Coordinates of all heavy atoms in Angstrom, one line a residue:
S829 N 5.9 -2.5 14.7 CA 5.6 -1.7 15.9 C 4.6 -0.6 15.4 O 4.4 -0.4 14.2 CB 6.8 -1.1 16.5 OG 7.5 -0.2 15.6
G830 N 4.0 0.1 16.4 CA 3.2 1.2 16.1 C 1.7 0.9 16.2 O 0.9 1.8 16.1
G831 N 1.3 -0.3 16.5 CA -0.1 -0.6 16.6 C -0.7 -0.1 17.9 O 0.1 0.4 18.8
G832 N -2.0 -0.1 18.1 CA -2.6 0.4 19.3 C -4.1 0.5 19.1 O -4.6 0.0 18.1
S833 N -4.7 1.2 20.1 CA -6.1 1.4 20.0 C -6.4 2.9 19.7 O -5.7 3.8 20.3 CB -6.7 1.1 21.4 OG -6.6 -0.3 21.7
V834 N -7.3 3.1 18.8 CA -7.6 4.5 18.4 C -9.1 4.6 18.1 O -9.8 3.6 17.7 CB -6.8 4.9 17.2 CG1 -7.1 4.0 16.0 CG2 -6.9 6.3 16.8
Q835 N -9.7 5.8 18.2 CA -11.1 6.0 17.8 C -11.2 6.1 16.3 O -10.3 6.5 15.6 CB -11.6 7.2 18.5 CG -11.8 7.0 20.0 CD -12.6 8.1 20.6 OE1 -12.5 9.2 20.2 NE2 -13.4 7.7 21.7
A836 N -12.4 5.8 15.8 CA -12.7 6.0 14.4 C -12.3 7.4 14.0 O -12.6 8.4 14.7 CB -14.1 5.6 14.1
G837 N -11.7 7.5 12.8 CA -11.3 8.8 12.3 C -9.9 9.1 12.6 O -9.3 10.1 12.1
G838 N -9.3 8.4 13.5 CA -7.9 8.6 14.0 C -6.9 8.1 13.0 O -7.2 7.5 12.0
S839 N -5.6 8.2 13.4 CA -4.5 7.8 12.6 C -3.5 7.0 13.4 O -3.4 7.2 14.6 CB -3.8 9.0 12.0 OG -4.6 9.7 11.2
L840 N -2.8 6.1 12.7 CA -1.7 5.4 13.3 C -0.6 5.2 12.2 O -1.0 5.2 11.0 CB -2.1 4.0 13.8 CG -2.9 3.9 15.1 CD1 -3.4 2.5 15.3 CD2 -2.1 4.4 16.3
R841 N 0.6 5.1 12.6 CA 1.7 4.7 11.7 C 2.4 3.5 12.2 O 3.0 3.5 13.3 CB 2.7 5.9 11.5 CG 3.7 5.6 10.4 CD 4.7 6.7 10.1 NE 5.8 6.7 11.1 CZ 7.0 7.2 10.8 NH1 7.2 7.8 9.6 NH2 7.9 7.2 11.7
L842 N 2.3 2.5 11.3 CA 3.0 1.2 11.6 C 4.4 1.3 11.0 O 4.6 1.8 10.0 CB 2.3 0.0 11.0 CG 0.8 -0.1 11.5 CD1 0.2 -1.4 10.9 CD2 0.6 -0.1 13.0
S843 N 5.3 0.6 11.8 CA 6.7 0.5 11.3 C 7.1 -1.0 11.3 O 6.6 -1.8 12.1 CB 7.7 1.3 12.2 OG 7.4 2.6 12.2
C844 N 8.0 -1.3 10.3 CA 8.5 -2.7 10.3 C 10.0 -2.6 10.0 O 10.5 -2.1 9.0 CB 7.9 -3.4 9.1 SG 8.6 -5.0 8.8
A845 N 10.8 -2.9 11.1 CA 12.2 -2.9 11.0 C 12.8 -4.2 10.5 O 12.4 -5.3 11.0 CB 12.8 -2.6 12.4
A846 N 13.5 -4.2 9.4 CA 14.0 -5.4 8.7 C 15.5 -5.5 9.0 O 16.3 -4.6 9.0 CB 13.8 -5.3 7.2
S847 N 15.9 -6.8 9.3 CA 17.3 -7.0 9.5 C 17.7 -8.4 8.9 O 16.8 -9.2 8.7 CB 17.7 -7.0 11.0 OG 17.0 -8.0 11.7
G848 N 18.9 -8.6 8.6 CA 19.4 -9.9 8.0 C 18.7 -10.1 6.7 O 18.5 -11.3 6.2
Y849 N 18.4 -9.1 5.9 CA 17.6 -9.2 4.7 C 18.1 -8.3 3.6 O 18.5 -7.2 3.9 CB 16.1 -8.8 5.1 CG 15.2 -8.7 3.9 CD1 14.9 -9.8 3.1 CD2 14.7 -7.4 3.5 CE1 14.0 -9.6 2.0 CE2 13.9 -7.3 2.5 CZ 13.5 -8.4 1.7 OH 12.7 -8.2 0.7
T850 N 18.1 -8.8 2.4 CA 18.5 -7.9 1.3 C 17.3 -6.9 1.1 O 16.4 -7.2 0.3 CB 18.7 -8.8 0.0 OG1 19.7 -9.8 0.4 CG2 19.2 -7.9 -1.1
Y851 N 17.4 -5.8 1.7 CA 16.3 -4.9 1.7 C 16.0 -4.4 0.3 O 14.8 -4.0 0.1 CB 16.7 -3.7 2.6 CG 15.5 -2.8 3.0 CD1 14.6 -3.2 3.9 CD2 15.4 -1.6 2.4 CE1 13.5 -2.5 4.2 CE2 14.3 -0.7 2.8 CZ 13.4 -1.2 3.7 OH 12.3 -0.4 4.0
S852 N 16.9 -4.5 -0.6 CA 16.6 -3.9 -1.9 C 15.9 -5.0 -2.8 O 15.6 -4.7 -3.9 CB 17.9 -3.5 -2.6 OG 18.8 -4.7 -2.7
S853 N 15.5 -6.1 -2.2 CA 14.7 -7.1 -3.0 C 13.4 -6.5 -3.4 O 12.9 -5.5 -2.9 CB 14.5 -8.4 -2.3 OG 15.7 -9.0 -2.1
Y854 N 12.7 -7.1 -4.4 CA 11.7 -6.5 -5.1 C 10.5 -5.9 -4.3 O 10.2 -4.7 -4.5 CB 11.1 -7.5 -6.1 CG 12.0 -7.9 -7.2 CD1 12.6 -9.1 -7.3 CD2 12.4 -6.9 -8.2 CE1 13.5 -9.4 -8.4 CE2 13.3 -7.2 -9.2 CZ 13.8 -8.5 -9.3 OH 14.7 -8.8 -10.3
C855 N 9.9 -6.6 -3.5 CA 8.7 -6.1 -2.8 C 8.7 -6.3 -1.3 O 9.2 -7.2 -0.8 CB 7.4 -6.8 -3.4 SG 7.1 -6.4 -5.1
M856 N 8.0 -5.4 -0.7 CA 7.6 -5.6 0.7 C 6.1 -5.2 0.8 O 5.6 -4.4 0.0 CB 8.4 -4.7 1.6 CG 9.9 -5.0 1.7 SD 10.8 -4.1 2.9 CE 10.3 -4.9 4.4
G857 N 5.5 -5.7 1.8 CA 4.0 -5.4 1.9 C 3.5 -5.5 3.3 O 4.2 -5.9 4.3
W858 N 2.3 -5.0 3.5 CA 1.5 -5.1 4.7 C 0.3 -5.9 4.5 O -0.4 -5.8 3.5 CB 1.1 -3.7 5.2 CG 2.2 -2.9 5.7 CD1 2.9 -1.9 5.1 CD2 2.8 -3.0 7.1 NE1 3.9 -1.4 5.9 CE2 3.8 -2.0 7.1 CE3 2.5 -3.7 8.2 CZ2 4.5 -1.8 8.3 CZ3 3.2 -3.5 9.4 CH2 4.3 -2.6 9.4
F859 N 0.0 -6.8 5.4 CA -1.2 -7.6 5.4 C -1.9 -7.5 6.7 O -1.3 -7.0 7.7 CB -0.8 -9.1 5.2 CG -0.3 -9.5 3.9 CD1 1.0 -9.1 3.5 CD2 -1.1 -10.1 2.9 CE1 1.5 -9.4 2.2 CE2 -0.6 -10.4 1.7 CZ 0.7 -10.1 1.3
R860 N -3.2 -7.9 6.8 CA -3.9 -7.9 8.0 C -4.8 -9.1 8.1 O -5.2 -9.6 7.1 CB -4.7 -6.6 8.2 CG -5.8 -6.4 7.2 CD -6.4 -5.0 7.4 NE -7.5 -4.8 6.4 CZ -8.2 -3.6 6.3 NH1 -7.8 -2.5 7.0 NH2 -9.2 -3.4 5.4
Q861 N -5.1 -9.4 9.3 CA -6.1 -10.5 9.6 C -6.9 -10.2 10.8 O -6.4 -10.0 11.9 CB -5.3 -11.8 9.8 CG -6.3 -13.0 9.8 CD -5.5 -14.4 9.7 OE1 -4.3 -14.4 9.9 NE2 -6.2 -15.4 9.3
A862 N -8.2 -10.1 10.5 CA -9.2 -9.9 11.6 C -9.7 -11.2 12.1 O -9.6 -12.2 11.4 CB -10.4 -9.1 11.0
P863 N -10.1 -11.2 13.4 CA -10.6 -12.5 14.0 C -11.7 -13.1 13.1 O -12.6 -12.5 12.6 CB -11.2 -12.0 15.3 CG -10.5 -10.8 15.6 CD -10.2 -10.1 14.3
G864 N -11.5 -14.4 12.8 CA -12.5 -15.2 12.0 C -12.4 -14.9 10.5 O -13.3 -15.4 9.8
K865 N -11.4 -14.1 10.1 CA -11.3 -13.8 8.7 C -10.0 -14.3 8.1 O -9.0 -14.5 8.9 CB -11.5 -12.3 8.4 CG -12.9 -11.8 8.8 CD -13.1 -10.4 8.3 CE -14.6 -9.9 8.6 NZ -14.8 -8.5 8.1
G866 N -9.9 -14.3 6.8 CA -8.6 -14.7 6.2 C -7.7 -13.5 6.1 O -8.1 -12.4 6.4
R867 N -6.5 -13.8 5.8 CA -5.5 -12.8 5.6 C -5.7 -11.9 4.4 O -6.0 -12.5 3.3 CB -4.1 -13.4 5.6 CG -2.9 -12.4 5.6 CD -1.6 -13.1 5.7 NE -1.4 -13.9 4.5 CZ -0.5 -14.9 4.4 NH1 0.2 -15.2 5.4 NH2 -0.3 -15.5 3.2
E868 N -5.6 -10.6 4.5 CA -5.9 -9.7 3.4 C -4.6 -8.9 3.1 O -4.0 -8.3 4.0 CB -7.0 -8.8 3.8 CG -7.3 -7.7 2.8 CD -8.3 -6.7 3.4 OE1 -8.5 -6.6 4.6 OE2 -8.9 -5.9 2.5
G869 N -4.3 -8.8 1.9 CA -3.2 -7.9 1.5 C -3.7 -6.4 1.6 O -4.7 -6.1 1.0
V870 N -2.9 -5.6 2.2 CA -3.3 -4.2 2.4 C -2.6 -3.3 1.5 O -3.2 -2.5 0.8 CB -3.1 -3.8 3.9 CG1 -3.3 -2.3 4.0 CG2 -3.9 -4.6 4.9
A871 N -1.3 -3.4 1.4 CA -0.5 -2.5 0.5 C 0.8 -3.2 0.2 O 1.3 -4.0 1.0 CB -0.3 -1.2 1.2
H872 N 1.4 -2.9 -1.0 CA 2.6 -3.4 -1.4 C 3.5 -2.3 -2.0 O 2.9 -1.3 -2.5 CB 2.5 -4.5 -2.5 CG 1.6 -5.6 -2.1 ND1 2.0 -6.7 -1.5 CD2 0.2 -5.7 -2.3 CE1 0.9 -7.5 -1.3 NE2 -0.1 -6.9 -1.8
I873 N 4.8 -2.4 -1.8 CA 5.7 -1.4 -2.4 C 6.8 -2.1 -3.2 O 7.4 -3.0 -2.6 CB 6.2 -0.4 -1.4 CG1 7.0 0.7 -2.1 CG2 7.0 -1.1 -0.3 CD1 7.3 1.9 -1.2
H874 N 7.0 -1.8 -4.4 CA 8.0 -2.4 -5.2 C 9.3 -1.6 -5.0 O 9.3 -0.4 -4.7 CB 7.6 -2.4 -6.7 CG 8.4 -3.2 -7.6 ND1 9.6 -2.8 -8.1 CD2 8.2 -4.5 -8.0 CE1 10.1 -3.8 -8.9 NE2 9.3 -4.9 -8.8
N875 N 10.4 -2.2 -5.3 CA 11.7 -1.6 -5.2 C 11.8 -0.4 -6.1 O 12.6 0.5 -5.8 CB 12.8 -2.6 -5.6 CG 14.2 -2.1 -5.3 OD1 14.4 -1.5 -4.3 ND2 15.1 -2.4 -6.2
D876 N 11.1 -0.4 -7.2 CA 11.1 0.8 -8.1 C 10.2 1.9 -7.7 O 10.0 2.9 -8.5 CB 10.9 0.3 -9.6 CG 9.5 -0.2 -9.8 OD1 8.6 -0.1 -8.8 OD2 9.2 -0.7 -10.8
G877 N 9.5 1.7 -6.6 CA 8.7 2.8 -6.0 C 7.2 2.6 -6.3 O 6.4 3.3 -5.7
R878 N 6.8 1.7 -7.2 CA 5.4 1.4 -7.4 C 4.7 0.9 -6.2 O 5.3 0.1 -5.4 CB 5.2 0.4 -8.5 CG 5.5 0.9 -9.9 CD 5.3 -0.2 -10.9 NE 6.5 -1.1 -10.9 CZ 6.4 -2.4 -11.4 NH1 5.3 -2.8 -11.9 NH2 7.5 -3.2 -11.3
T879 N 3.5 1.4 -5.9 CA 2.7 1.0 -4.8 C 1.4 0.5 -5.3 O 0.9 0.9 -6.3 CB 2.5 2.1 -3.8 OG1 1.9 3.2 -4.4 CG2 3.8 2.6 -3.2
S880 N 0.8 -0.4 -4.5 CA -0.6 -0.9 -4.7 C -1.3 -1.0 -3.4 O -0.7 -1.3 -2.4 CB -0.5 -2.2 -5.5 OG 0.2 -3.2 -4.8
Y881 N -2.6 -0.9 -3.5 CA -3.4 -0.9 -2.3 C -4.7 -1.7 -2.5 O -5.2 -1.8 -3.6 CB -3.8 0.5 -1.9 CG -2.7 1.4 -1.5 CD1 -2.1 2.2 -2.5 CD2 -2.2 1.5 -0.2 CE1 -1.0 3.0 -2.2 CE2 -1.1 2.3 0.1 CZ -0.5 3.1 -0.9 OH 0.6 3.9 -0.6
A882 N -5.2 -2.3 -1.4 CA -6.5 -2.9 -1.4 C -7.5 -1.8 -1.6 O -7.3 -0.7 -1.1 CB -6.7 -3.7 -0.1
D883 N -8.6 -2.1 -2.3 CA -9.6 -1.1 -2.5 C -10.2 -0.5 -1.2 O -10.5 0.7 -1.1 CB -10.8 -1.7 -3.3 CG -10.4 -1.9 -4.7 OD1 -9.4 -1.4 -5.2 OD2 -11.2 -2.7 -5.4
S884 N -10.2 -1.3 -0.2 CA -10.8 -0.9 1.1 C -9.9 0.2 1.8 O -10.4 0.8 2.7 CB -11.0 -2.1 2.0 OG -9.7 -2.8 2.2

Side-chain angles (χ1 to χ4, degrees):
S829 61
S833 297
V834 64
Q835 289 191 327
S839 298
L840 285 172
R841 188 176 80 154
L842 306 184
S843 299
C844 172
S847 61
Y849 169 67
T850 306
Y851 195 72
S852 59
S853 294
Y854 291 112
C855 293
M856 296 186 73
W858 288 99
F859 291 75
R860 66 186 181 187
Q861 187 165 18
K865 294 188 176 181
R867 187 175 65 197
E868 174 190 21
V870 175
H872 306 272
I873 186 165
H874 195 275
N875 189 41
D876 64 8
R878 286 177 285 162
T879 57
S880 59
Y881 298 91
D883 287 343
S884 58

